[in-house]
Amino acid sequence: MAGLIYSWVNGILQLIVNGFVSVLCKGQGGGYLKKTAHIMPFLLFLVYLAIPVVSLINLLAGYSVWIYSYHAYALITAAISLVAVVNSLLVKDTIMPEAETLCILFMPLLPLINWICYIIPAGWKFSALCMSFCLACTLVYMLKYIKHVKRKIIISVTCIIFFIPICFFSLLDCIFGDFGTDTVVQVEYPPDRRCKAEVVDNDQGALGGGVFVNICNTEPAIDLYFIKVFKKPHCIYSGRWGEYEGMELYWKDNHILSLNGSEYFIE
């Protein structure tokens, strides 16, 4: 699966590079660029959908998806967005089919959705920088290919309406970014090391906080190197903030975890 995705993306990037080289060196390459122009809407739409889908899985499913670097993915998204805009400006009189037009029409909304999803894992500063750039690129892309004036106005106004509260959320993250910080203060493994017990200290400032003991799998359910899928941690204990300092935690065997004299059976 990973090899198939790599081959597909590599083929598209090679097509783009060949087109640009032809244009710069020979003044030709229209065929390459026109092919790329029809591929770009679907590619860009899928790239923008990835992070919201990951966020939904993490929120609703019994699994959590780990991405190697949110910063790297955001930069790749911004780079592909720029390539799409440059390609659209180089290609003249391209008529897009209805499916591609729909992707382009709603695409400016996706950087805003991505912005919200990026705030927590990537930080508000990086999110604001990359996703603002992506928003500008997708708006130019949309204005280039969408001929219906009312649709342009509706999407542009909708982006402005959503842009304001998203900036407000970014400001809140800037002010309260360290509020409710979770810190792993102790980790214990059973003899077979198939899972681990983590003691998590949740610091909520003046409000106090809490202590949690979570059981986490050490091996991912799916491992694609840059993307890994884990079962969500299972909380077996919650207590007062700072309680971890006097906590006695150890494994008796592969399935019995002792916590302050109480035993928990872990499958």
Side-chain angles (χ1 to χ4, degrees):
M1 182 64 180
L4 180 63
I5 295 173
Y6 172 80
S7 300
W8 180 59
V9 174
N10 184 60
I12 292 173
L13 292 177
Q14 190 65 41
L15 187 66
I16 295 169
V17 170
N18 288 340
F20 285 165
V21 169
S22 298
V23 169
L24 294 174
C25 297
K26 303 177 183 178
Q28 301 174 354
Y32 283 110
L33 293 180
K34 284 185 178 180
K35 289 179 183 179
T36 305
H38 289 286
I39 294 172
M40 270 298 173
F42 297 115
L43 174 63
L44 201 53
F45 200 81
L46 289 174
V47 168
Y48 276 118
L49 277 181
I51 296 299
V53 168
V54 166
S55 299
L56 280 176
I57 292 173
N58 289 340
L59 183 65
L60 302 176
Y63 292 86
S64 58
V65 180
W66 175 87
I67 294 178
Y68 181 76
S69 174
Y70 279 91
H71 288 184
Y73 192 85
L75 286 173
I76 291 171
T77 304
I80 296 176
S81 300
L82 179 61
V83 169
V85 171
V86 173
N87 177 263
S88 69
L89 296 176
L90 290 175
V91 177
K92 307 296 182 182
D93 303 323
T94 301
I95 299 175
M96 291 290 185
E98 185 176 353
E100 295 169 17
T101 302
L102 284 175
C103 287
I104 296 171
L105 177 63
F106 293 104
M107 203 172 291
L109 299 175
L110 294 179
L112 296 173
I113 297 172
N114 275 257
W115 190 336
I116 297 173
C117 298
Y118 272 118
I119 287 176
I120 294 177
W124 73 274
K125 291 181 180 179
F126 189 83
S127 304
L129 179 64
C130 280
M131 291 303 109
S132 294
F133 179 80
C134 290
L135 176 62
C137 288
T138 52
L139 281 172
V140 172
Y141 197 50
M142 185 266 293
L143 294 173
K144 169 69 167 61
Y145 284 115
I146 303 301
K147 307 302 180 184
H148 200 288
V149 177
K150 287 185 178 180
R151 291 178 181 176
K152 289 181 180 181
I153 294 174
I154 291 172
I155 294 297
S156 299
V157 171
T158 303
C159 288
I160 294 172
I161 292 172
F162 279 102
F163 181 78
I164 296 172
I166 290 173
C167 288
F168 177 71
F169 287 135
S170 295
L171 178 62
L172 290 180
D173 183 71
C174 172
I175 298 173
F176 302 106
D178 295 329
F179 182 80
T181 303
D182 288 337
T183 305
V184 177
V185 295
Q186 184 179 350
V187 179
E188 298 292 339
Y189 292 89
D192 60 5
R193 303 184 74 85
R194 62 184 172 80
C195 62
K196 60 183 177 180
E198 289 186 343
V199 181
V200 180
D201 177 48
N202 176 254
D203 186 356
Q204 298 184 14
L207 297 178
V211 170
F212 305 93
V213 178
N214 296 328
I215 304 299
C216 312
N217 285 353
T218 54
E219 294 295 328
I222 300 175
D223 188 354
L224 299 177
Y225 189 72
F226 291 109
I227 300 175
K228 297 180 181 180
V229 180
F230 291 89
K231 284 187 177 180
K232 282 188 175 179
H234 172 59
C235 180
I236 62 169
Y237 176 83
S238 61
R240 301 183 310 276
W241 178 69
E243 187 180 343
Y244 69 89
E245 294 180 358
M247 184 175 289
E248 294 183 1
L249 180 71
Y250 62 92
W251 291 85
K252 287 190 169 182
D253 55 34
N254 290 329
H255 296 282
I256 304 297
L257 177 67
S258 177
L259 173 60
N260 291 337
S262 299
E263 295 183 354
Y264 296 83
F265 179 79
I266 309 299
E267 294 183 357

